[in-house]
Amino acid sequence: MQPAPPDFSGLSRADALAAARRFLVASGGAAADARPLLLTALGLDAAEMVRAPEALVSAQDSARLAGFLARRLAREPVSRIIGRRGFWTLDLAVHPDVLDPRADTEALVRLALRLAPDARRILDLGCGSGAILSALLAERPHAFGVGVDLSPAACAAARANLSANGLDGRAGVVRANWTEALAGAFDLIVSNPPYIETAEMALLDADVRLHDPALALDGGPDGLDAYRALLAATPARLAPGGALALEIGWRQRAAVCALAAASGWREAGFEADLGGRDRALAFRRDRPNG
C-alpha cells in the first residue's frame, strides 16, 4: 500500500518543498520531482518561489500537492501530472492518450535540421503531440509543415501545441494512415513511429506502459512494422533530393538500414541520443521515387 503524503498546510513554501522531497525519497521516488509538482500545485513560477519562499501553504494547495505526490508514486509521469513538457526550445502541453515527447526524440530534430537546412515543406508522419513538427518549424521560419496521425486525440494535441507556439499559420494537421490522404512532395519527411516489439510491451517501465498509448509504441512482432510501411509509402511523397529521417530503437539501426537498402534507400546520416545510443537515422533515394 502506498504511503499517504503529509499535510503541508501552514508550512512555508520552502519547508513544504523540503518535506515533499523527503516524502518522495522515503517512498522510493525521486527528490527532483518535488519542485515541479509543488510549483504547479501552488500555481507558482520559479521566480515567485525565489521571491517569497516564506509564504505559507494553504490547506487547498496542500491537498493539491498531496494528490500530485500520490499520483507520482502511482507511476504517473510528472509531465502528465503538471500537463507540460519542455521539448527542444518549446513548452508543450501533454495531453491524455497522446505520446509524451521525450528528450531522446530531440536527436531526430537535430538530425533533420542538419540534413535538410533549406527544407521548405516538412511532413511529420505519426506526429503525436506535434513536438517534432513544432521544433522544426520553430527553427525554419520559412518552412510549412504537415502533421499526420491516425489518432484523433493526437491530431487535436498537435493542433493545440502548434497554435500555442504561434506556428499554426505555417502548419496543417491531417488525420490519416501515414501518407494515404496526401498529395504533393516534401523536402523533408520525419517520423517517430512505434518501434517496440509486441512481446516487450508488457516489460516497459510503468511510467510508459500505463500512460502512453499502445498505438504509438507497439511496432509489431519484430518492432519494424512501421518502418516497412514508411519506407514503402514515402518515396511518392518525397521531393527530388529530399530526405527521410526516422527515430529508431537503440538496437534497430542495422535492421532498419537493411530494410531501407532493400527498397532503394541509402543511409544519409545518424544521430545519437544523450546517452550516446543510436536514436535517429536519415535516408535518401538511390533510384527514382515511386
Side-chain angles (χ1 to χ4, degrees):
M1 185 175 176
Q2 157 179 325
D7 182 4
F8 302 96
S9 56
L11 296 179
S12 71
R13 292 169 176 172
D15 287 344
L17 178 58
R21 285 172 173 158
R22 289 194 298 271
F23 171 74
L24 285 172
V25 171
S27 305
D33 292 344
R35 187 175 184 84
L37 294 176
L38 180 138
L39 291 177
T40 303
L42 274 58
L44 305 175
D45 60 25
E48 286 181 279
M49 183 70 181
V50 171
R51 280 196 301 269
E54 74 287 349
L56 301 183
V57 176
S58 70
Q60 182 178 12
D61 287 345
S62 172
R64 188 179 300 110
L65 176 57
F68 284 1
L69 292 169
R71 289 167 64 183
R72 183 65 190 115
L73 289 187
R75 302 302 299 274
E76 185 173 354
V78 171
S79 56
R80 292 199 178 275
I81 297 170
I82 68 175
R84 312 298 304 174
R85 163 78 75 174
F87 182 84
W88 199 248
T89 61
L90 306 173
D91 182 40
L92 301 177
V94 176
H95 293 256
D97 303 316
V98 179
L99 186 72
D100 184 358
R102 267 60 170 205
D104 282 348
T105 298
E106 293 184 0
L108 177 58
V109 176
R110 292 193 299 271
L111 178 59
L113 291 171
R114 186 172 76 246
L115 190 73
D118 301 317
R120 292 299 186 104
R121 288 177 54 82
I122 300 171
L123 174 61
D124 183 358
L125 294 170
C127 63
S129 66
I132 299 165
L133 185 59
S134 295
L136 293 174
L137 291 176
E139 297 292 337
R140 297 288 181 262
H142 301 297
F144 180 87
V146 175
V148 177
D149 206 288
L150 191 58
S151 160
C155 290
R159 291 186 187 105
N161 277 318
L162 286 160
S163 178
N165 285 283
L167 300 165
D168 51 324
R170 295 191 288 118
V173 178
V174 178
R175 181 174 179 244
N177 184 32
W178 302 127
T179 63
E180 286 179 1
L182 301 178
F186 296 84
D187 306 307
L188 173 65
I189 301 176
V190 296
S191 183
N192 175 19
Y195 54 72
I196 305 299
E197 294 180 18
T198 301
E200 293 185 352
M201 290 285 290
L203 307 177
L204 292 173
D205 186 87
D207 290 28
V208 177
R209 175 171 42 83
L210 298 177
H211 298 282
D212 280 321
L215 180 66
L217 299 173
D218 191 342
D222 63 358
L224 301 173
D225 282 359
Y227 298 108
R228 294 185 182 95
L230 287 164
L231 291 165
T234 51
R237 300 278 69 86
L238 195 65
L244 171 67
L246 304 170
E247 180 168 333
I248 60 168
W250 65 276
R251 295 174 295 181
Q252 292 177 320
R253 181 176 177 181
V256 174
C257 284
L259 288 174
S263 52
W265 297 88
R266 61 178 171 82
E267 185 178 346
F270 74 95
E271 184 76 19
D273 60 26
L274 296 178
R277 299 167 297 188
D278 291 341
R279 186 60 62 181
L281 282 173
F283 300 98
R284 298 190 191 275
R285 295 290 290 171
D286 273 338
R287 59 181 184 239
N289 293 344

